Amino acid sequence: MPGGGPPFELSCTHEGLDAVVRAIRAEADGKQLRRELAKNMREALKPAAAQAKSGIMAMSSAGPGTAPALRSAIAKRIRPEVKLGGNWSGARIKAFKTRGVRGFANAPKRTNRARGWRHLTYGREPWVQQHGKTLWFDNAMEGDTNVYTQAVHEAMENMARRIASRAG
């Protein structure tokens, strides 16, 4: 271990994250360390989730407003997601489906699309085409992705250093 680095190679890739997770599993308190790493990675992504939430809240609202508020329902379902191990390892911001809101489960996906979505007017014909704020999710974090990537990598590196210091 020349230079006092960790006993395994850590790179800022999925392989690097997998190496950290494998090292955590080898520790006696591995479950607690995994929870802490996931928590730190989620905390690093919270500002990005806030940007995505403000992106949907900036969408114009037109209509009578008697139904549950679509924008706030979508904003409540945006959060950072971290998975360590399994088929996919990593951290991302995800807009989860909005079940039970106007029967519009795919609202985050549809409002982000340029072509919008179709729906019946007051439950009857004719069908109308409605457009949301195009690319509100995709463009919300544009320009800041390097900041959030670096914050997640720092959380990974801090855990790697912590494990390395235990190893001696």
Side-chain angles (χ1 to χ4, degrees):
M1 196 164 44
F8 49 87
E9 180 183 342
L10 175 65
S11 59
C12 297
T13 62
H14 291 289
E15 292 81 20
L17 181 58
D18 289 339
V20 171
V21 171
R22 278 192 304 275
I24 287 174
R25 283 187 186 141
E27 295 294 318
D29 58 345
K31 281 188 178 182
Q32 180 184 356
L33 292 174
R34 277 176 62 131
R35 271 191 234 114
E36 189 174 329
L37 175 60
K39 179 184 172 211
N40 291 342
M41 291 171 75
R42 274 192 302 275
E43 289 295 323
L45 290 177
K46 278 191 177 180
Q51 281 184 316
K53 288 177 183 183
S54 67
I56 188 58
M57 293 306 286
M59 184 175 82
S60 67
S61 66
T66 57
L70 183 63
R71 294 176 304 154
S72 62
I74 293 171
K76 286 178 187 175
R77 303 290 295 159
I78 297 172
R79 60 181 168 264
E81 179 185 45
V82 174
K83 286 189 179 181
L84 303 173
N87 293 334
W88 178 82
S89 292
R92 63 183 171 190
I93 304 299
K94 190 169 180 181
F96 293 89
K97 288 188 175 191
T98 53
R99 301 188 195 285
V101 177
R102 300 183 188 180
F104 193 17
N106 287 322
K109 181 178 174 182
R110 300 290 186 248
T111 55
N112 192 47
R113 272 196 327 204
R115 69 177 199 227
W117 66 95
R118 291 184 53 189
H119 63 88
L120 290 170
T121 324
Y122 299 107
R124 298 191 179 119
E125 293 291 332
W127 285 86
V128 294
Q129 184 74 21
Q130 188 169 348
H131 298 279
K133 184 178 178 202
T134 305
L135 303 176
W136 63 265
F137 187 83
D138 298 340
N139 294 340
M141 296 158 273
E142 193 172 293
D144 293 332
T145 54
N146 291 337
V147 172
Y148 303 123
T149 303
Q150 183 62 31
V152 168
H153 293 171
E154 284 177 17
M156 288 170 44
E157 289 172 9
N158 288 341
M159 184 58 70
R161 279 191 217 100
R162 187 169 160 188
I163 293 170
S165 68
R166 287 182 176 190

